[in-house]
Amino acid sequence: FSFIPQALFNAIIPDHHAEAFSPPRLTPSGSVDQIVEGLLGGLSHWDAEHFLFIAECGYLYEHNFAFFPGFPLALLVGAELLRPLWPLLNLRSRLLISVALLNSLFSVLAAVALHDLGCLVLRCPYQAFYGALLFCLSPANVFLAAGYSEALFALLTFSAMGQLERGRSWTSGLLFALATGVRSNGLVNIGFLVYSQCQGFLSSPMVLNPLRPLLKLMGSVFLSMFALGLPFALFQYYGYTQFCLSGSVRPIPEPLRQLAVDKGYRTVEGNEPPWCSWELPLIYSYIQDIYWNVGFLRYYELKQVPNFLLATPMAILVAGATWTYVTTHPWLCVTLGMQRSKNSKTPEKSDRGFLGPRVFVYLVHAAALALFGGLCMHVQ
């Protein structure tokens, strides 16, 4: 029912008219479509408009390739299930309803998966419950309700982590790979699989010939990197075929072609872009650089101070958690969590809760993302 308050506030507070992506509607809207737009239109702003556009029209503009296909495909499945309503609702309306229903479902399931993961890692039901509760109450939850891919990505990632904690590496790898097809930062999750494999290698009994276990470890690491990198690589190749290979162009409706002319968008019908001639032609890197101005310290401008203030509470939380953990378990951190204590006869201070040894890899993940986000991304 998140659409009820957002519809109310949409009526009270006019939308900010930013220079954001806003393509023209290709299908006429009936009275029911207008009602759906009034109730759910607030879920379609900013990046959500890209996802809805991709689900409806495909990847026609170059900058659309900043958004991975996993979530638009999920929206299309939802819209297809609503096909019996097509006499009343156009595709845009069915996609909006899919956003509201699917992201509500994904958000709830992500919270359940996070609680399950917390029980496995923290071994403390109270902390696991409060962790899931804070996930539900976070102000950033607006992105879990709106037409963004965060809810689906969180569900897949938390579920994959839980499967990995249970020792189900194949299921975990599949879920991590699906998460990479939803968001590019799913590539970072390769670290969880590699870390788990290294832990298994070091904890296995020593044998006279360690070459076989070492080769097995190297094979597992390669397979993990291949599986999680494959969705990213296939998506980059698809972009290459659309913009760099002749004969792959499909027709673009005239209103969308005119929008490209007015806004300066590069389309699949336009001239070959410069990244096509790169030694490694990655459309994603080019888009993040040119369209979103993502790069080292590029966001450090005076006008971005409010956005830095938005990020400050989370940055302080991650920094404080990292400092507390490192100072509590210095030897465990030095050995990358592979050895529980410098003196095997000395037990760790706590095996449960946030300071438990199993938290180490998750803390590294959070600290690395916070550092990279603070230096190279749009900080908020």
Side-chain angles (χ1 to χ4, degrees):
F1 298 101
S2 61
F3 67 89
I4 297 177
Q6 77 87 23
L8 177 62
F9 281 106
N10 261 9
I12 298 174
I13 305 173
D15 287 335
H16 170 61
H17 296 287
E19 289 295 322
F21 182 61
S22 182
R25 305 288 179 255
L26 299 181
T27 54
S29 297
S31 56
V32 181
D33 294 311
Q34 294 173 7
I35 293 174
V36 172
E37 189 72 33
L39 290 175
L40 304 178
L43 304 178
S44 66
H45 297 323
W46 299 97
D47 289 357
E49 195 64 74
H50 286 273
F51 288 113
L52 290 166
F53 177 80
I54 292 167
E56 186 174 359
C57 303
Y59 288 90
L60 298 183
Y61 301 134
E62 185 181 50
H63 62 282
N64 292 146
F65 279 83
F67 305 93
F68 278 47
F71 184 59
L73 287 174
L75 293 183
L76 273 178
V77 172
E80 190 65 25
L81 294 176
L82 297 172
R83 179 175 283 273
L85 300 176
W86 71 265
L88 297 174
L89 300 172
N90 61 24
L91 179 56
R92 161 81 180 191
S93 297
R94 300 202 305 273
L95 288 171
L96 276 177
I97 295 174
S98 295
V99 164
L101 296 179
L102 290 180
N103 271 359
S104 296
L105 176 64
F106 294 152
S107 300
V108 172
L109 294 179
V112 173
L114 179 61
H115 178 263
D116 176 65
L117 178 65
C119 291
L120 293 171
V121 175
L122 301 174
R123 299 183 181 182
C124 178
Y126 291 106
Q127 287 194 13
F129 171 76
Y130 287 123
L133 182 63
L134 288 174
F135 172 75
C136 295
L137 298 178
S138 167
N141 252 342
V142 62
F143 298 108
L144 300 181
Y148 281 55
S149 57
E150 271 79 356
L152 178 57
F153 180 76
L155 170 60
L156 293 170
T157 303
F158 294 157
S159 300
M161 292 173 175
Q163 292 299 308
L164 190 60
E165 288 291 337
R166 290 183 169 88
R168 302 168 185 167
S169 56
W170 286 98
T171 305
S172 175
L174 175 61
L175 291 170
F176 275 137
L178 291 175
T180 304
V182 174
R183 291 184 64 85
S184 62
N185 52 338
L187 290 171
V188 180
N189 294 328
I190 292 174
F192 287 101
L193 287 173
V194 173
Y195 183 79
S196 176
Q197 291 156 358
C198 290
Q199 275 190 320
F201 172 77
L202 294 176
S203 62
S204 61
M206 295 300 295
V207 294
L208 295 178
N209 183 11
L211 181 60
R212 185 175 179 180
L214 183 60
L215 291 176
K216 183 179 179 181
L217 172 65
M218 294 174 62
S220 299
V221 170
F222 172 79
L223 187 61
S224 298
M225 297 177 66
F226 175 80
L228 269 68
L230 184 61
F232 181 87
L234 290 177
F235 186 53
Q236 299 311 295
Y237 178 72
Y238 173 68
Y240 182 83
T241 63
Q242 294 301 296
F243 285 92
C244 306
L245 297 182
S246 58
S248 60
V249 176
R250 62 184 184 277
I252 298 177
E254 183 56 35
L256 300 181
R257 183 184 290 109
Q258 187 59 47
L259 176 68
V261 173
D262 296 340
K263 297 291 186 178
Y265 298 153
R266 178 180 281 124
T267 69
V268 293
E269 294 179 344
N271 297 327
E272 183 177 291
W275 56 268
C276 288
S277 59
W278 290 359
E279 186 174 347
L280 187 61
L282 296 179
I283 185 174
Y284 185 77
S285 301
Y286 176 82
I287 290 170
Q288 292 295 328
D289 178 27
I290 300 300
Y291 289 93
W292 269 265
N293 194 35
V294 172
F296 182 66
L297 298 183
R298 289 191 184 180
Y299 211 59
Y300 283 67
E301 300 177 308
L302 187 61
K303 65 180 181 180
Q304 301 297 352
V305 168
N307 287 324
F308 277 86
L309 293 176
L310 281 174
T312 298
M314 185 56 64
I316 292 175
L317 180 62
V318 174
T322 304
W323 174 257
T324 301
Y325 196 92
V326 170
T327 54
T328 304
H329 298 302
W331 179 248
L332 184 142
C333 294
V334 168
T335 58
L336 302 180
M338 299 295 179
Q339 297 183 26
R340 297 190 57 185
S341 176
K342 190 173 183 179
N343 184 354
S344 59
K345 297 181 180 180
T346 304
E348 286 291 331
K349 297 180 180 179
S350 173
D351 282 340
R352 297 178 179 271
F354 166 70
L355 294 177
R358 300 179 75 169
V359 174
F360 172 78
V361 66
Y362 300 94
L363 190 73
V364 171
H365 179 249
L369 285 180
L371 182 63
F372 180 72
L375 296 178
C376 301
M377 299 172 66
H378 291 185
V379 173
Q380 77 280 11

